[in-house]
Amino acid sequence: ADPHSFQASASQAAALREADLVVVNGLGLEGTLAGVIESAAADGVEVVEAASFVVPLPYGPGAASGEGGNGEGGTLDPHLWTDPRRMADVATGLGEALAAADPGCAAAHRAAAAAYRAELLGLDVEIEALLAAVPTEQRKLITNHHTLGYFADRYGFEVVGAIIPGGATFAGPSPAALAALVDTLRREGVRAVFAETTASTALTEALAAELGGEVAVVTLYTDSLGEPGSGADTYAGMMLVDARRIAAALGGP
């Protein structure tokens, strides 16, 4: 599901209010869930933001709107999970949060967090090796919306544009903005435009068509895990699938 527009059911909202600990991404990602989370916090539920364990990045150029650290129209990018090294820090932080919430099992929570941190750091090394096939001059990303800022920061890519302004998926580009993006694609020699599995690819396909089929449209699992059997149905699997698709689209001479 698209996290920017997900609606909680009555039973899900009730479960949040009855929880011992609620973990949210933060930086405005939760969108329509924000009110439900605030209600749970008002009822005394402990709420922990994953983003509180990392140094957030601002959105790139042309993305000054959308969800972010200031709420609607904020400027901080919430898509921190696209960098496994930052997620390793999140794992450590959440291990401490779980230990505090469940002191009887504190040692087990910390040990599990440490083990998962090691897995995530290994995942980071594996992704870096996969992306080694992409030449420096091809490390340019254009996405459906601004979702790969942390990925680009970690692995030495440049986000040169996004079809939908901001970090949410419910905005829409103007004709002038789309025309400017076509010019960017031509000027930068971009080979692929990346869409998300949780959003329509219509705009992405239209953009590629403007360039006469010279640009591939590649779908990534950026805002949600994949369905069972997709290979992207775990966090590590999702990141590896995306890295392989990016390397295949942009790699080579």
Side-chain angles (χ1 to χ4, degrees):
D2 184 344
H4 306 288
S5 56
F6 176 79
Q7 298 279 350
S9 67
S11 62
Q12 289 168 331
L16 280 173
R17 290 194 299 272
E18 295 168 3
D20 296 312
L21 178 70
V22 171
V23 178
V24 301
N25 185 86
L27 299 180
L29 181 80
E30 279 65 33
T32 55
L33 274 177
V36 178
I37 294 163
E38 289 168 6
S39 294
D43 287 346
V45 176
E46 181 76 16
V47 177
V48 175
E49 287 196 2
S52 68
F53 304 116
V54 304
V55 177
L57 293 175
Y59 278 118
S65 62
E67 88 282 6
N70 305 329
E72 186 69 24
T75 58
L76 295 179
D77 186 348
H79 300 87
L80 52 98
W81 62 87
T82 62
D83 176 0
R85 284 206 305 199
R86 283 181 168 89
M87 291 304 286
D89 292 337
V90 169
T92 299
L94 292 183
E96 290 302 314
L98 287 165
D102 184 19
C105 294
H109 290 308
R110 290 189 175 108
Y116 193 49
R117 177 184 178 84
E119 284 186 38
L120 293 176
L121 293 176
L123 172 66
D124 173 62
V125 171
E126 189 173 357
I127 290 172
E128 191 168 32
L130 283 170
L131 296 172
V134 182
T136 301
E137 64 273 15
Q138 294 297 336
R139 291 184 172 234
K140 299 169 183 177
L141 301 171
I142 286 188
T143 52
N144 186 54
H145 77 292
H146 284 270
T147 190
L148 291 177
Y150 291 89
F151 178 93
D153 179 69
R154 167 64 191 96
Y155 299 112
F157 285 73
E158 179 187 3
V159 178
V160 296
I163 298 172
I164 297 174
T169 54
F170 40 75
S174 67
L178 278 178
L181 203 50
V182 168
D183 290 342
T184 298
L185 280 161
R186 289 196 175 107
R187 183 178 66 253
E188 299 287 346
V190 173
R191 293 185 175 187
V193 179
F194 297 99
E196 298 97 30
T197 58
T198 55
S200 169
T201 61
L203 281 173
T204 315
E205 299 282 357
L207 186 70
E210 283 288 324
L211 292 151
E214 298 172 7
V215 173
V217 175
V218 180
T219 304
L220 302 178
Y221 296 92
T222 54
D223 277 9
S224 177
L225 298 181
E227 63 280 0
S230 65
D233 48 0
T234 66
Y235 171 68
M238 177 189 80
M239 291 300 298
L240 287 171
V241 167
D242 286 349
R244 290 188 184 108
R245 291 182 181 183
I246 290 171
L250 303 180

